[in-house]
Amino acid sequence: MLDSRTIEIVKSTLPLLENAGVEVTDHFYKRMFSHNPELKDIFNLANQATGRQQFALFSAVAMYAKHIDDLGALGELVERVAHKHVSFDIQPDQYQIVGHHLIETLREMAPNEFTDEVAEAWVEAYGLLAKVLIGREQDIYSDYQNKTGGWTGPRLFEVKDKTPESELVTSFTFVPVDGGEIASYQPGQYLAVKVKPEQAENTEIRQYSISDKFNGESYRISVKRESKPQAGLVSNHLHDTVQVGDRIELMPPTGDFYLAHMDKPTVLISAGVGITPMMAMLETLIVNQSKQNIWFLHACENKNQHTYAQQLKSKANELDQLHYYYWYKQDDSGDELAQKGLLKLDGLQSELPLTDGHFYICGPIEFMRFIKQQLLDLNVAADQIHYEVFGPHSDL
């Protein structure tokens, strides 16, 4: 553990971390990539371009500094980051590289505040943080190494099927090239896809939610084509270049967002491509013959972008316990069942399981904030609300 003086020094630097601007974060990444260019094959360079990765890393370190004398408060952050790191196959020695460049950046950019004494305290503090994360990650690696069909690091899979699901979303089904078993997963978890698009300078790794129940033979992901060139580097590669029969490296399924209360009423709320983990949850509930009521609420731009529309309508007609509602932002569908505008819960207040249900949310961050606030306003307890954030760690 850290002594009281070290804790005091680290906490005193909290404003420096919380107020780290673009100049500081850019300096850190330029410094690190110039000395260790191999890390460009791990860090999502699209998130670098938007600034999301820079913000996420420094905000996470700031949160650590804030709770350095109460690490138990960081349980959720540690779990989410550890699962994300496992999907990138992060190894212990890489922590030392990142820590070194982080501390040297602060020393170079804020020499008056980041004295030798402060730097020494942060070396010790960062070492503790690394130890906590490495320990949790090693547990996850070990679990996957030892479970039936499990593996660690990249494993080669073949594309068995490629199916358009809507105007922007296409599903890809993968089977292992080695013919071996595959690891089970929790519905809601994701796979990391490792590819090198022709126009990319580096290997790119992206996480995509698994969009079907576990079947023991294959994995399915459903990928939205992104319109912005840098953000859509991998998604466009998958849509335009990857075909049935091609081979792709996959990391084992992981993630801390998953269906965890199958014995309770379940509400699945999504927007856009956030529908993908919800399909895995719904299919799992159905195959396990859940007796609980299920609500499936989805919002998207229009009818053409309504992923899995027919499958969901069919399931709702077949299953009495499934209550299916959907919203189109653009009023152009001609679909009498579609509600128009934003997904608002007040009209469903009387039927939703506000006191004993569990609510799972996935979609753009602003959408999830909007839904979470509605749920809190309806007096849903915070521990009944679960969500998934695409990309770097963020809070709602």
Side-chain angles (χ1 to χ4, degrees):
M1 296 299 293
L2 303 175
D3 60 42
S4 58
R5 178 58 181 162
T6 300
I7 291 173
E8 178 186 355
I9 292 172
V10 169
K11 283 201 164 190
S12 72
T13 61
L14 186 57
L16 180 62
L17 291 166
E18 290 181 327
N19 300 322
V22 174
E23 183 181 5
V24 175
T25 56
D26 281 355
H27 181 88
F28 164 73
Y29 280 98
K30 288 176 181 176
R31 188 185 207 284
M32 183 173 67
F33 290 148
S34 67
H35 287 82
N36 298 92
E38 72 278 5
L39 294 183
K40 289 183 178 182
D41 288 330
I42 296 174
F43 282 82
N44 184 330
L45 298 185
N47 286 329
Q48 294 293 311
T50 64
R52 289 189 67 198
Q53 184 72 58
Q54 291 93 319
F55 171 80
L57 189 145
F58 274 77
S59 63
V61 174
M63 188 180 297
Y64 168 61
K66 184 176 181 179
H67 296 285
I68 195 168
D69 53 352
D70 181 22
L71 295 184
L74 296 175
E76 182 179 330
L77 174 65
V78 167
E79 194 69 8
R80 186 162 297 179
V81 170
H83 279 276
K84 188 71 72 173
H85 283 181
V86 167
S87 76
F88 283 104
D89 197 29
I90 297 296
Q91 298 300 317
D93 61 327
Q94 292 163 333
Y95 274 94
Q96 302 310 312
I97 295 172
V98 172
H100 168 74
H101 291 297
L102 175 66
I103 291 168
E104 291 306 309
T105 291
L106 294 172
R107 191 200 302 269
E108 292 163 3
M109 299 299 288
N112 293 331
E113 298 98 325
F114 215 78
T115 63
D116 288 343
E117 184 184 25
V118 173
E120 289 175 7
W122 261 104
V123 167
E124 188 175 352
Y126 181 85
L128 176 59
L129 174 62
K131 182 178 179 180
V132 170
L133 285 167
I134 289 170
R136 179 62 187 121
E137 289 158 22
Q138 292 304 312
D139 288 342
I140 299 172
Y141 284 128
S142 178
D143 288 344
Y144 271 94
Q145 184 68 52
N146 295 323
K147 74 185 303 186
T148 300
W151 75 96
T152 59
R155 181 180 177 187
L156 199 59
F157 280 72
E158 181 177 305
V159 180
K160 180 182 179 182
D161 187 57
K162 179 180 180 180
T163 306
E165 304 288 1
S166 65
E167 182 179 63
L168 297 178
V169 174
T170 293
S171 289
F172 298 82
T173 301
F174 303 101
V175 294
V177 170
D178 60 21
E181 295 183 277
I182 61 172
S184 61
Y185 55 86
Q186 298 287 350
Q189 291 188 308
Y190 51 78
L191 281 175
V193 176
K194 184 177 182 181
V195 295
K196 189 177 186 304
E198 288 184 6
Q199 64 272 41
E201 295 182 7
N202 302 95
T203 298
E204 300 285 344
I205 300 174
R206 297 290 188 275
Q207 291 81 19
Y208 297 104
S209 298
I210 302 173
S211 58
D212 200 2
K213 63 183 179 297
F214 180 65
N215 60 30
E217 298 178 353
S218 63
Y219 297 119
R220 187 184 77 178
I221 61 172
S222 301
V223 180
K224 177 187 175 185
R225 180 194 291 276
E226 298 292 345
S227 57
K228 295 180 180 179
Q230 186 62 38
L233 180 64
V234 174
S235 70
N236 282 288
H237 171 73
L238 292 171
H239 277 254
D240 297 335
T241 305
V242 173
Q243 303 298 332
V244 172
D246 288 349
R247 295 182 171 188
I248 286 183
E249 290 183 312
L250 302 180
M251 305 294 186
T254 189
D256 68 322
F257 173 74
Y258 52 83
L259 182 67
H261 304 88
M262 293 184 61
D263 59 339
K264 300 288 184 181
T266 302
V267 186
L268 308 174
I269 309 175
S270 60
V273 75
I275 196 172
T276 55
M278 303 309 181
M279 286 300 290
M281 294 183 187
L282 175 63
E283 294 284 3
T284 301
L285 287 166
I286 292 173
V287 77
N288 281 277
Q289 300 181 330
S290 171
K291 303 300 183 184
Q292 297 291 339
N293 279 314
I294 307 164
W295 286 261
F296 199 108
L297 316 180
H298 180 64
C300 58
E301 287 293 318
N302 53 50
K303 181 179 180 179
N304 292 334
Q305 294 185 24
H306 191 167
T307 304
Y308 314 122
Q310 292 307 314
Q311 298 98 306
L312 285 164
K313 288 178 182 178
S314 296
K315 293 181 188 302
N317 289 331
E318 296 167 3
L319 300 169
D320 291 337
Q321 78 266 34
L322 175 58
H323 312 280
Y324 176 43
Y325 300 93
Y326 53 97
W327 286 253
Y328 293 156
K329 188 175 181 180
Q330 299 172 8
D331 186 7
D332 63 353
S333 69
D335 186 339
E336 295 181 355
L337 296 178
Q339 302 186 55
K340 307 305 186 292
L342 301 179
L343 196 165
K344 295 185 178 180
L345 301 175
D346 49 2
L348 299 175
Q349 180 175 354
S350 62
E351 70 169 275
L352 291 176
L354 302 178
T355 57
D356 62 341
H358 280 265
F359 296 76
Y360 297 84
I361 315 171
C362 191
I365 289 178
E366 288 305 318
F367 168 81
M368 293 193 293
R369 288 188 181 129
F370 177 60
I371 297 299
K372 181 180 179 181
Q373 189 57 56
Q374 289 186 65
L375 291 172
L376 294 175
D377 290 343
L378 292 173
N379 296 316
V380 175
D383 61 2
Q384 293 173 233
I385 304 172
H386 318 277
Y387 62 90
E388 172 74 306
V389 175
F390 299 130
H393 173 79
S394 181
D395 201 359
L396 301 186

